[in-house]
Amino acid sequence: DGPTAAITGGAGMVQVDETAGVQGGSDDDTTATAVSDLFSGLTGTSTDLPTEQYATSSASLVDTTGSGYGADEENGTTKLSLEINGSAGLDSGLETTGGTQIFLYESGDLIVGRIGNEVGDGTDTANAGGTIAFAVAIDEDSGIVSTAQYASITNPTPGASHDEVANLTGKINAKVTVTDGDLDTATQTTDIGDQIKFSDDGPTMFAAMPAIVVNSGDALGDGLLNFLANTGTDGLGDVVFDSALEGGTLTGTINMVV
């Protein structure tokens, strides 16, 4: 009589925000040492973010209640692990903010996303030694999933959608292995990629400090405009000023502190 393995998606999810610090709200950010220690053995992680970000789910991402040991239940075990839904170097579907695709690899018990080789035509190539952009871990007993993020990730919708999330749907599976007292085993997997999410970090509005304008010949004015801008971890894109001037143009120097 052999064991039975069953696994489905659970109620939990994990969402890490690339914004520095613990954000709260719908994010699961944490500074707990027990979480960061899960990833302490990794080398070659990106230094793109001001500080690495960690998150951990508050509930299991899977349900294994349909599993059983059969008649040989003595000393049986049920353990969880992660696997790539495909082969090493699978395209994660995610990109760095700079536009380079990220590819998935196993690293011990972890799944890591490694930044690929930039080709520039949308077909970047996998790099097994690439810099690590993020990593995912699962507790083998509880099904709690934790993530570490080291590089900012593209959240593709432009405009004011700063809080949108990207995920790993179809890319990462949770695997349950059931072993009975006779050491017979049974395994089953389920996709949990849609429950692993990366939240965007957007820019913030600013108020310009007073400008000093001095009349200069035929020009309407020359002067200095000083302001503070917080562009977030995605870096500076465009800064656009709209002005309504009559009878001339505005020239001058923009001093910006990011």
Side-chain angles (χ1 to χ4, degrees), residues 169-227:
T169 298
K171 306 298 183 178
I172 291 183
N173 291 338
K175 177 181 178 180
V176 61
T177 300
V178 182
T179 305
D180 69 12
D182 286 338
L183 302 183
D184 297 321
T185 61
T187 63
Q188 187 61 264
T189 63
T190 189
D191 174 27
I192 60 169
D194 62 329
Q195 298 161 269
I196 302 171
K197 303 179 180 183
F198 301 87
S199 183
D200 194 15
D201 179 36
T204 56
M205 295 291 290
F206 64 86
M209 291 178 282
I212 302 172
V213 180
V214 180
N215 190 13
S216 176
D218 295 331
L220 179 64
D222 294 315
L224 300 175
L225 173 62
N226 299 282
F227 65 90

Side-chain angles (χ1 to χ4, degrees), residues 86-162:
S87 57
L90 177 71
D91 183 359
S92 70
L94 304 181
E95 296 181 350
T96 65
T97 302
T100 305
Q101 291 168 255
I102 301 171
F103 300 86
L104 298 179
Y105 292 88
E106 294 182 5
S107 179
D109 295 331
L110 307 176
I111 301 291
V112 298
R114 293 186 179 272
I115 300 172
N117 300 311
E118 177 64 43
V119 175
D121 62 355
T123 58
D124 302 332
T125 58
N127 181 356
T131 302
I132 296 174
F134 62 83
V136 185
I138 191 171
D139 185 280
E140 65 177 1
D141 297 312
S142 68
I144 295 295
V145 170
S146 301
T147 54
Q149 185 174 354
Y150 306 101
S152 63
I153 291 173
T154 296
N155 296 82
T157 305
S161 57
H162 309 159

Side-chain angles (χ1 to χ4, degrees), residues 4-22:
T4 301
I7 186 171
T8 58
M13 73 96 173
V14 59
Q15 181 168 306
V16 61
D17 194 313
E18 63 187 27
T19 307
V22 175

Side-chain angles (χ1 to χ4, degrees), residues 29-143:
D29 300 338
T30 182
T31 58
T33 302
V35 175
S36 60
D37 282 351
L38 298 173
F39 308 98
S40 61
L42 291 176
T43 58
T45 57
S46 175
T47 57
D48 175 56
L49 295 183
T51 181
E52 60 269 22
Q53 293 293 108
Y54 300 100
T56 191
S57 64
S58 59
S60 175
L61 270 63
V62 297
D63 182 352
T64 62
T65 55
S67 300
Y69 305 114
D72 302 318
E73 62 184 11
E74 292 79 11
N75 300 316
T77 60
T78 300
K79 298 295 181 182
L80 294 162
S81 58
L82 296 173
E83 67 175 24
I84 300 168
N85 189 13
S87 57
L90 177 71
D91 183 359
S92 70
L94 304 181
E95 296 181 350
T96 65
T97 302
T100 305
Q101 291 168 255
I102 301 171
F103 300 86
L104 298 179
Y105 292 88
E106 294 182 5
S107 179
D109 295 331
L110 307 176
I111 301 291
V112 298
R114 293 186 179 272
I115 300 172
N117 300 311
E118 177 64 43
V119 175
D121 62 355
T123 58
D124 302 332
T125 58
N127 181 356
T131 302
I132 296 174
F134 62 83
V136 185
I138 191 171
D139 185 280
E140 65 177 1
D141 297 312
S142 68

